[in-house]
Amino acid sequence: MRVASEIVLTDDEREALTKLAASRLTSVRLLQRARIVLLAAEGMLNQQIAEQLGIGRIQVARWRGRYAQMRFGGIERDLPRGAPPRKVDRAQLVELTTQTQPEAATHWSTRKMAAKLGVHATTIARHWQAAGLKPHVVRGFKVSRDPKFVEKLEDIVGLYMAPPEHALVLCCDEKSQVQALDRTQPGLPLKKGRSATMTHDYKRNGTTTLFAALNVLDGQVIGQCQQRHTYAEWLKFLKKVDRETPKDKTLHLIADNYATHKHPAVQEWLTQHPRFVMHFTPTSASWLNMVERFFRDITTERLRRGVLTSVPELVAAIDEYIAHHNTQPKPFIWTKSARDILQKVIRANNRLSSKQNAALH
């Protein structure tokens, strides 16, 4: 039969334990352990102490025994439980994350790295966060290699920031393959506590191409949907722009280097209409064309979640959106100077060059 450890306290020990049990600054755990020892010193049994304090008898026996063996140090700190936590060499972790790849995968996850280093996934996540590493994130980029990049950049940014007098600056482009998508099943509407739902699969009901010209001055958009996007359709759109703009204004059109924009038939028409002045963005620099912002807006606000059962319905939706946009248009304000953009491009090129040189060596 087990006998509880006898606790005999000195005056100093009793005074110290009594202060702990009465202090408001003592942690709950240490306060409880001090009370266990004090009651045990009064000759109470473990079961009696457990009932009085509202805890388990085994817990009382543990702290009574620890105080009997190690005195005050036995209750002041917790003894280690199980094996000590395994430490991670952060330098090694950073090197593995940035310089290697897991087997049959393109990037590390917290679980893959945890399995390799023999630690918990949350440990990996904590160290990655401290080191500023996000292996699951990849950002796209495209650096223009156009030999006339600087010249074209300064030309277009100059039109945005200091447009010529008695002229209109129009950002033009086409958004091809706009799909009329219908969902295979009806979704549920938005309600409190539940997001709107939409099936991941869809039915294709045809496509159209949206030609658009964004007026940099006031944000108005001239739009036209056509079945194809060859030079003939582009020429038809230019004629629409010619009809819907003041005849006494010079038109500076910003467009990309798509072949239809430079077709001989288009060039001939432009020669006959000298008020049209073309400005082409550098290769792989469509972000310089502000009409792309309008295309993004119409995609996110009208098309992406739209349920469209036919091409005529799609065209009607696009025309309705453009008409609504033109009732209260807001211009996109360009703020970056050509110098700032050029410095950013130079920094990106330098980083890419250093990376490529390191890879070669």
Side-chain angles (χ1 to χ4, degrees), residues 18-273:
T18 302
K19 286 183 179 179
L20 279 178
S23 175
R24 293 183 179 181
L25 301 178
T26 307
S27 67
V28 175
R29 291 180 179 180
L30 185 57
L31 181 146
Q32 189 179 78
R33 296 166 192 174
R35 289 178 177 175
I36 290 172
V37 174
L38 287 171
L39 293 176
E42 294 177 6
M44 295 181 65
L45 300 177
N46 291 345
Q47 185 63 39
Q48 294 173 322
I49 297 173
E51 291 175 357
Q52 183 167 332
L53 298 181
I55 57 178
R57 181 181 60 81
I58 295 177
Q59 187 178 355
V60 173
R62 180 190 305 121
W63 296 112
R64 182 174 188 159
R66 287 189 185 178
Y67 190 87
Q69 293 177 4
M70 296 179 283
R71 309 311 289 177
F72 195 85
I75 65 170
E76 190 177 21
R77 61 183 182 274
D78 292 335
L79 296 177
R81 300 180 181 179
R86 183 171 178 178
K87 294 184 177 180
V88 174
D89 184 346
R90 184 175 292 178
Q92 179 193 14
L93 174 61
V94 171
E95 182 180 357
L96 286 173
T97 306
T98 58
Q99 304 299 326
T100 66
Q101 292 181 346
E103 185 177 355
T106 58
H107 60 281
W108 290 100
S109 67
T110 54
R111 289 178 176 82
K112 285 186 174 68
M113 186 62 77
K116 182 174 181 62
L117 297 182
V119 296
H120 198 273
T122 55
T123 302
I124 300 298
R126 185 172 67 254
H127 284 287
W128 275 351
Q129 184 178 14
L133 294 174
K134 298 179 180 180
H136 63 289
V137 175
V138 60
R139 292 181 178 176
F141 77 98
K142 181 66 174 179
V143 177
S144 176
R145 301 300 184 188
D146 194 320
K148 296 184 178 181
F149 176 80
V150 177
E151 177 185 336
K152 294 178 179 179
L153 171 68
E154 292 176 344
D155 178 36
I156 293 174
V157 174
L159 288 174
Y160 290 155
M161 304 193 75
E165 294 183 359
H166 309 296
L168 296 178
V169 178
L170 302 174
C171 296
C172 304
D173 201 1
E174 56 269 307
K175 182 176 177 64
S176 60
Q177 299 295 312
V178 183
Q179 299 188 79
L181 300 180
D182 187 12
R183 302 294 159 176
T184 57
Q185 299 172 10
L188 296 175
L190 173 70
K191 63 176 292 186
K192 183 179 180 180
R194 185 191 70 201
S195 302
T197 64
M198 179 176 287
T199 59
H200 70 276
D201 54 343
Y202 48 81
K203 294 184 291 185
R204 295 184 177 93
N205 295 313
T207 62
T208 190
T209 294
L210 169 61
F211 291 80
L214 172 70
N215 189 332
V216 173
L217 178 65
D218 58 10
Q220 290 240 2
V221 172
I222 300 173
Q224 185 179 45
C225 289
Q226 302 191 62
Q227 195 63 32
R228 303 173 66 191
H229 52 99
T230 66
Y231 79 90
E233 284 73 28
W234 172 248
L235 195 53
K236 184 178 178 182
F237 176 65
L238 291 180
K239 293 176 181 178
K240 178 180 176 67
V241 172
D242 188 30
R243 291 193 303 270
E244 298 188 10
T245 52
K247 299 298 181 182
D248 60 335
K249 301 291 186 182
T250 301
L251 304 180
H252 293 269
L253 270 60
I254 298 172
D256 60 24
N257 294 274
Y258 190 39
T260 59
H261 299 164
K262 301 179 178 180
H263 192 275
V266 175
Q267 297 293 336
E268 182 181 353
W269 187 88
L270 291 172
T271 303
Q272 298 170 3
H273 295 77

Side-chain angles (χ1 to χ4, degrees), residues 318-337:
I318 292 173
D319 290 342
E320 179 187 6
Y321 181 87
I322 294 175
H324 178 267
H325 170 87
N326 287 338
T327 57
Q328 292 182 322
K330 292 182 180 180
F332 298 117
I333 306 300
W334 190 274
T335 58
K336 282 285 186 181
S337 67

